Amino acid sequence: YEINEEVRFEIIRKPAHHNDQKGTLLFIRGSAFTGGPLDETLSYTHMLADYYGMDVVNLHFRVAPQYKFPTFFEDICATVQYLADNHTQYHLNRPFTLWGESSGGTMAASVCQHFENMGKKLIDKLVLIYPMMDLIRDYPSKDLYGQGYMLDLTFIEWLKDKTLNTQEEWSDYRISPALGTMSTMPPPFVVTAEFDPLRDEAETYVETLKNLGNTVHHKRAEGMIHAFFRYYDKLEQTQACLAWLKE
């Protein structure tokens, strides 16, 4: 389905044997803000639809370097607002769960924060899977696992160069949600990986939300590296995290 020539979404319907109404899962893939077509996540989003018994909306957005920040953020905001206004037209049910992985987690957190700041309660549940939350500050996990654990710091630096226009943008909450205003958020469910350079910034985000009085659910996957959800059909830890998110 197209909202306009550039922004569109795909609906993956839950299998017929799920006949109860559990709402809709809005999925933001991990693209590193620079790529990753919808086709790459087809089997994964079908798995989510079947496992959780929910319709899944796979969100498409323009990416860098052709479309730099904040284009992808604005595209996702526009799509979420459009779906909130027109969900009955597509036979999609509330509540809405916004699910983001890696850079998709960045955008899920910042988009949710954006609407909360505007007083719009569009998102009912927030799921962040090993999200990138802070492009400014140093964290111990970046020193410990920044090389040789799948996601390298050199790639993150490359990503900054390809995605952002100026160094000042690194601290913008739309790309570093840990630096934004988080006083009111729907209850987030955050999964981190033990050997992920992004682990500590995500766990700091969790503690900040708790200190502000928010209800937060957090699970650290011991022994796992970044992007371990890709291997949902092979890893027991991924299955355990999927089950935890189902509770």
Side-chain angles (χ1 to χ4, degrees):
Y1 299 95
E2 292 187 356
I3 298 176
N4 55 50
E5 291 183 358
E6 299 290 351
V7 183
R8 63 187 186 273
F9 58 90
E10 176 187 27
I11 299 177
I12 297 90
R13 298 293 180 184
K14 63 186 178 183
H17 63 268
H18 293 288
N19 53 20
D20 51 344
Q21 304 296 334
K22 293 182 179 178
T24 301
L25 191 156
L26 310 181
F27 178 76
I28 310 175
R29 68 193 185 281
S31 65
F33 312 112
T34 58
L38 293 181
D39 292 349
E40 288 186 0
T41 58
L42 191 60
S43 63
Y44 185 73
T45 48
H46 275 277
M47 178 277 294
L48 293 176
D50 186 22
Y51 191 85
Y52 293 109
M54 301 171 72
D55 291 332
V56 175
V57 181
N58 200 350
L59 307 184
H60 173 80
F61 44 90
R62 289 170 289 177
V63 295
Q66 184 177 5
Y67 299 101
K68 288 196 169 188
F69 175 83
T71 301
F72 40 81
F73 171 85
E74 293 171 346
D75 286 351
I76 293 174
C77 285
T79 307
V80 171
Q81 182 68 68
Y82 176 84
L83 291 169
D85 293 339
N86 299 281
H87 62 95
T88 56
Q89 175 183 337
Y90 298 96
H91 306 287
L92 297 171
N93 298 305
R94 301 294 303 262
F96 280 173
T97 295
L98 187 59
W99 178 305
E101 303 188 2
S102 191
S103 62
T106 310
M107 289 187 277
S110 60
V111 166
C112 186
Q113 197 174 120
H114 170 73
F115 285 120
E116 289 288 324
N117 291 347
M118 295 175 65
K120 294 184 176 182
K121 303 292 184 180
L122 303 189
I123 304 303
D124 303 286
K125 179 179 177 180
L126 181 63
V127 176
L128 307 176
I129 311 298
Y130 34 75
M132 179 183 294
M133 304 302 285
D134 186 347
L135 295 182
I136 292 290
R137 293 176 290 194
D138 292 326
Y139 294 89
S141 60
K142 286 185 176 180
D143 293 330
L144 291 169
Y145 312 120
Q147 185 174 359
Y149 291 85
M150 197 278 178
L151 177 64
D152 287 352
L153 295 184
T154 52
F155 177 75
I156 295 175
E157 292 304 313
W158 174 89
L159 176 155
K160 289 179 183 178
D161 179 62
K162 296 298 182 182
T163 300
L164 301 169
N165 303 285
T166 65
Q167 187 170 336
E168 287 70 28
E169 290 179 342
W170 296 4
S171 60
D172 191 307
Y173 84 91
R174 295 173 295 175
I175 199 75
S176 290
L179 305 180
T181 303
M182 299 173 281
S183 57
T184 58
M185 294 283 278
F189 289 73
V190 183
V191 175
T192 57
E194 180 181 6
F195 299 122
D196 183 356
L198 305 183
R199 182 195 70 194
D200 290 348
E201 61 196 77
E203 294 183 358
T204 299
Y205 177 80
V206 166
E207 292 307 312
T208 301
L209 284 173
K210 287 181 178 177
N211 292 337
L212 290 170
N214 293 280
T215 299
V216 189
H217 309 274
H218 170 238
K219 181 177 179 64
R220 179 192 284 188
E222 303 297 336
M224 292 294 101
I225 61 173
H226 191 76
F228 73 95
F229 265 55
R230 292 182 185 178
Y231 311 103
Y232 62 89
D233 56 344
K234 297 180 176 66
L235 293 176
E236 291 183 6
Q237 277 279 30
T238 309
Q239 294 295 324
C241 289
L242 289 169
W244 176 73
L245 291 166
K246 196 175 189 178
E247 294 174 359

